[in-house]
Amino acid sequence: MSERSHGKLSIRPDGALDFLSLGALVHRLDPGIIPFRKASHCDIHVSGGEFNVAANLADCFGMKAGLASAMVDYPIGDLIGERVRAMGVKPFYKRFAHNGVNGPNMATVYSDRGAGMRAPVVFYNRANEAAAELKPGDFDWATIFGGNVGVRWFHSGGIFAALSKTTGALIAEGMKAAKAAGAVTSFDLNFREKLWNLWGGQKIAVEVVERIVENVDVLVGNEEDLQKGLGIAGPEVAAKSNLDPSAFVDMIDKVVAKHPHVKAVATTLREVHSTNRHSWSAVAWLDGKIHQAPTAELDVVDRVGGGDGFAAGFIYGLLSGAAPQEAVSLGWAHGALLTTFPGDTTMATLDQVRAFAKGGSARIQR
């Protein structure tokens, strides 16, 4: 079978896995609209940027998706593992034993939803996190990418890269193995200053990300992610609003000049009017052209995971052979729908995504 080509982006037509991501699994405690200081109960969502993309691709888009991550053998790990299975994601775990006292742990995210003019509040407990202990050599990439498995697309992200001195090196190792095996590679820059500042700061971040991006085909990130993660000077064009893609577009030439092997760059565009009212769009550079989605006015239930929702729809579009504009529209539509559900991962169907991508509405479906 021939490879599908998107300009220089060549996607292998088959593989035991369509998609594999590498990253940390976390659980998010969600008291809804109640601030934590007044909360009496919480919902528990399983999350992690890389897991979210894999789960969305498996559950909504019907793709064969996997996740390489750390797993701790204790009840929180059991809870998280059950959700991974429920979303249809094939796990590749490096397992850790919990000592019954202080870990290692599966990280906790605390996130209320805010309401109206009150913004959501997010904070973490990543103390003694098992995923931060992951290092080169922990996964048998030769077996995962070769033999009977084979992977069409490999993905990771900047939050996982920032967890420790070893996680970035592990991503770089995985990207190199994926490229050698013929997989498309993508990296969501997701620059988090607080995480990097714990052990290295931006100078180290740029060095770590540089080694990763050497083998990356597709970058996901806005102009700030591109500046801070790649160490590239800011745009010369000032964006008129958060929905204006001009600042992002201005960065593309600089990104490609520094990393000429990068074949696509994509990001969401979001204007927050209030916690529950957002304007939403998306833009991608692919085939040497800019492709932009329309702007939708969103009534937001839970904004967490919208960007991962976009990434999943965009990647699905490319894996399924859609034209670049359609891939952007699918990502935009799925990300928009994801904000209407509680939790970090999808509850949408592919039919709903396709209908919204074509300009569907919220009229009742009978």
Side-chain angles (χ1 to χ4, degrees), residues 4-10 263 286-288 324:
R4 294 193 186 96
S5 293
H6 291 275
K8 300 174 187 172
L9 190 65
S10 296
K263 302 171 183 67
L286 184 63
D287 282 358

Side-chain angles (χ1 to χ4, degrees), residues 41-130:
H41 63 274
C42 302
D43 290 330
I44 304 174
H45 309 297
V46 170
S47 185
E50 296 79 17
F51 165 67
N52 293 346
V53 180
N56 295 339
L57 281 165
D59 188 80
C60 175
F61 295 102
M63 306 230 92
K64 297 169 290 186
L67 171 76
S69 191
M71 176 54 67
V72 180
D73 294 322
Y74 74 141
I76 300 298
D78 296 341
L79 179 156
I80 291 170
E82 186 277 333
R83 180 50 41 187
V84 173
R85 291 193 299 275
M87 294 301 284
V89 174
K90 178 180 176 63
F92 298 84
Y93 291 139
K94 169 70 183 293
R95 291 193 170 271
F96 295 81
H98 194 273
N99 64 16
V101 182
N102 61 358
N105 301 304
M106 302 299 286
T108 310
V109 181
Y110 304 86
S111 174
D112 72 48
R113 292 188 203 169
M117 43 69 74
R118 175 167 55 87
V121 175
V122 182
F123 55 102
Y124 302 83
N125 182 358
R126 304 197 84 126
N128 200 2
E129 180 180 3

Side-chain angles (χ1 to χ4, degrees), residues 298-334:
L298 305 183
D299 295 302
V300 176
V301 172
D302 187 344
R303 70 168 285 167
V304 178
D308 298 327
F310 165 75
F314 180 62
I315 290 168
Y316 165 76
L318 298 178
L319 282 170
S320 62
Q325 182 62 49
E326 184 185 353
V328 173
S329 295
L330 287 166
W332 165 81
H334 184 250

Side-chain angles (χ1 to χ4, degrees), residues 17 19 22 47 54 75 108 110 182 196 213 229-230 249 257 266 288 290 296 324 349 356:
L17 285 177
F19 179 88
L22 166 66
S47 185
T108 310
Y110 304 86
W196 287 108
V213 175
L230 300 178
V249 171
I290 297 296
T349 67
F356 192 88

Side-chain angles (χ1 to χ4, degrees), residues 22-26 48-50 69-70 105-109 124-135 156-171 187 190 192-200 204-205 208 212:
L22 166 66
L25 281 161
V26 307
E50 296 79 17
S69 191
N105 301 304
M106 302 299 286
T108 310
V109 181
Y124 302 83
N125 182 358
R126 304 197 84 126
N128 200 2
E129 180 180 3
E133 297 185 26
L134 292 173
K135 61 189 185 303
S156 193
I159 294 176
F160 182 55
L163 290 187
S164 73
K165 294 180 180 179
T166 59
T167 52
L170 172 60
I171 298 172
F187 186 72
N190 248 338
R192 295 292 187 273
E193 203 145 8
K194 288 180 181 176
L195 284 175
W196 287 108
N197 284 346
L198 287 176
W199 64 274
I204 296 297
V208 170
I212 294 168

